[in-house]
Amino acid sequence: MLNPRSDHFLAVLALTLLGAGCVLVLWPFLTALVWAAILASTSWPAFLWLDRVVGQRRTVAAILMTLLVTVVLLGPIVSVALAMADNVAELGRAASALVKDGLPDPPSWLASLPLVGQTIHDYWQQFAHDSPRLVSELDKLAKPAQTAALAAGRVVVKGTLDMTISVFIAFFFFLHGEALASRLRVALERLAGERAPYLLGIVRGTVTGVIYGILGTGLAQGVLAAIGFAIAGVPAAVLLGVVTFFLSVVPVGPPLVWGGAAIWLFQDGQPGWAAFVAAWGFFLVSTVDNVIKPFIISRGASLPFAIVFLGVLGGVLAFGVIGAFLGPTLLAVGYRLATEWTAAGPAQPADAESEAETPD
């Protein structure tokens, strides 16, 4: 007959194996699960308002909220993917024209650039109006470019699939949000004691600050930049808008994009459109970064630049497209909790429990 100690050991072993099995089953969907929880947490106030509008019919409200999230998230992703496909085709036609006619003469100002200007100018000059030599040089880049294009395509497809799954999971988080939040609070109280509501408030505030303050404003900058480029007739407007979104985490990132587009238009003999793009970028795109972002972040989480920058880049490398949103959010939460843990006697805010009332 087994003694109590052996029974305890077998119970712990069985629970460990069961937990490991659950993790293995859910591992392919872990990214989507975490992002679904973030979606439900940040949009929970809007969901409660919608629930009141439909007369406290939770299932109807969950369906409508899921449809809204689908339109807001998947709609732009699909549109960007289709537009980028058109941009790639346009770039392919431009490349074919270059192969046929050869490169034009390099601009005179290129040689005056410090350090690398003369080197780039001389390298460009080798292929000016020399189509066979340009083709020979491009052949060396054909295979790496094809590999990079296939890898980028896989990343976009995986990101779209992860986002679709996360939206589907978010429906159940909306439907059973209060019960899930209650169980999460109980679990954290057993781990962290009386400080659990306060820590939940920190997590929620940090997630909201990152999603709305950093990623939301970055998305707004990308959309506004793409609209301005499209109006001015800049090639690959959507692709440049995507670049603006990713560079929005860098303080001078978006001006590099719209400033470069303005310079290109001026060099192309379109000073009017160049002035339009410069004004559009300065008064609209940069206003989002300089005015709206600090206001929203001040209400959520003030984060070091390195946390956001490494979060976006590392998130994309680790999780694909969805990592651009998930990476900085996870790093920001970890940073805030680590700061709280290493602080000496932090004061607990009075509204911590009220902040923790919504699911995280």
Side-chain angles (χ1 to χ4, degrees):
M1 183 176 180
L2 296 176
N3 56 43
R5 181 174 300 179
S6 299
D7 289 342
H8 179 72
F9 172 77
L10 291 176
V12 171
L13 179 61
L15 289 175
T16 302
L17 293 176
L18 178 62
C22 292
V23 170
L24 287 175
V25 171
L26 295 176
W27 188 260
F29 310 102
L30 186 61
T31 302
L33 277 168
V34 175
W35 182 240
I38 293 173
L39 286 177
S41 175
T42 53
S43 61
W44 191 255
F47 171 71
L48 291 180
W49 173 84
L50 185 60
D51 188 42
R52 289 193 296 270
V53 169
V54 298
Q56 305 294 328
R57 289 178 291 181
R58 181 55 57 94
T59 301
V60 175
I63 292 174
L64 293 176
M65 194 66 192
T66 304
L67 291 175
L68 179 62
V69 171
T70 301
V71 172
V72 171
L73 287 180
L74 292 182
I77 290 177
V78 174
S79 300
V80 167
L82 295 176
M84 287 183 65
D86 293 337
N87 291 158
V88 170
E90 183 179 346
L91 291 174
R93 289 190 293 270
S96 299
L98 284 177
V99 170
K100 180 180 179 181
D101 303 328
L103 289 175
D105 291 322
S108 57
W109 56 265
L110 186 59
S112 62
L113 293 178
L115 299 179
V116 298
Q118 188 62 47
T119 302
I120 297 175
H121 181 276
D122 294 341
Y123 181 76
W124 186 330
Q125 189 65 53
Q126 298 177 25
F127 307 102
H129 309 294
D130 190 348
S131 179
R133 190 169 185 177
L134 178 61
V135 172
S136 176
E137 187 71 12
L138 291 177
D139 283 340
K140 302 176 184 178
L141 304 176
K143 188 172 182 179
Q146 184 181 17
T147 302
L150 291 174
R154 285 194 295 267
V155 168
V156 172
V157 171
K158 183 180 183 301
T160 304
L161 181 61
D162 286 340
M163 193 71 74
T164 303
I165 295 174
S166 67
V167 171
F168 174 74
I169 297 173
F171 166 77
F172 298 97
F173 284 161
F174 288 129
L175 195 60
H176 307 292
E178 286 90 351
L180 293 173
S182 176
R183 292 182 182 276
L184 178 61
R185 281 195 296 270
V186 170
L188 287 180
E189 286 173 359
R190 293 181 178 179
L191 294 174
E194 297 179 353
R195 291 176 57 81
Y198 175 51
L199 295 178
L200 278 174
I202 289 179
V203 172
R204 181 174 180 271
T206 303
V207 170
T208 302
V210 172
I211 295 298
Y212 292 125
I214 297 174
L215 301 178
T217 53
L219 186 61
Q221 283 184 289
V223 171
L224 286 173
I227 292 173
F229 296 148
I231 293 174
V234 178
V238 174
L239 184 59
L240 291 176
V242 173
V243 173
T244 303
F245 164 71
F246 281 102
L247 290 182
S248 65
V249 298
V250 182
V252 295
L256 291 177
V257 182
W258 57 257
I263 293 174
W264 179 84
L265 287 169
F266 184 80
Q267 292 290 334
D268 197 48
Q270 305 180 61
W273 284 119
F276 167 79
V277 168
W280 183 279
F282 183 81
F283 291 107
L284 289 181
V285 179
S286 292
T287 297
V288 173
D289 185 59
N290 298 327
V291 178
I292 300 177
K293 180 189 291 186
F295 172 73
I296 298 178
I297 293 179
S298 66
R299 300 174 60 192
S302 181
L303 301 170
F305 162 71
I307 294 293
V308 181
F309 181 73
L310 294 177
V312 171
L313 295 184
V316 171
L317 293 176
F319 305 111
V321 174
I322 199 173
F325 303 93
L326 189 57
T329 305
L330 294 178
L331 277 189
V333 171
Y335 169 78
R336 289 296 304 278
L337 291 179
T339 303
E340 173 64 23
W341 183 53
T342 55
Q348 296 187 15
D351 58 344
E353 293 192 16
S354 62
E355 288 185 345
E357 288 299 319
T358 56
D360 292 82

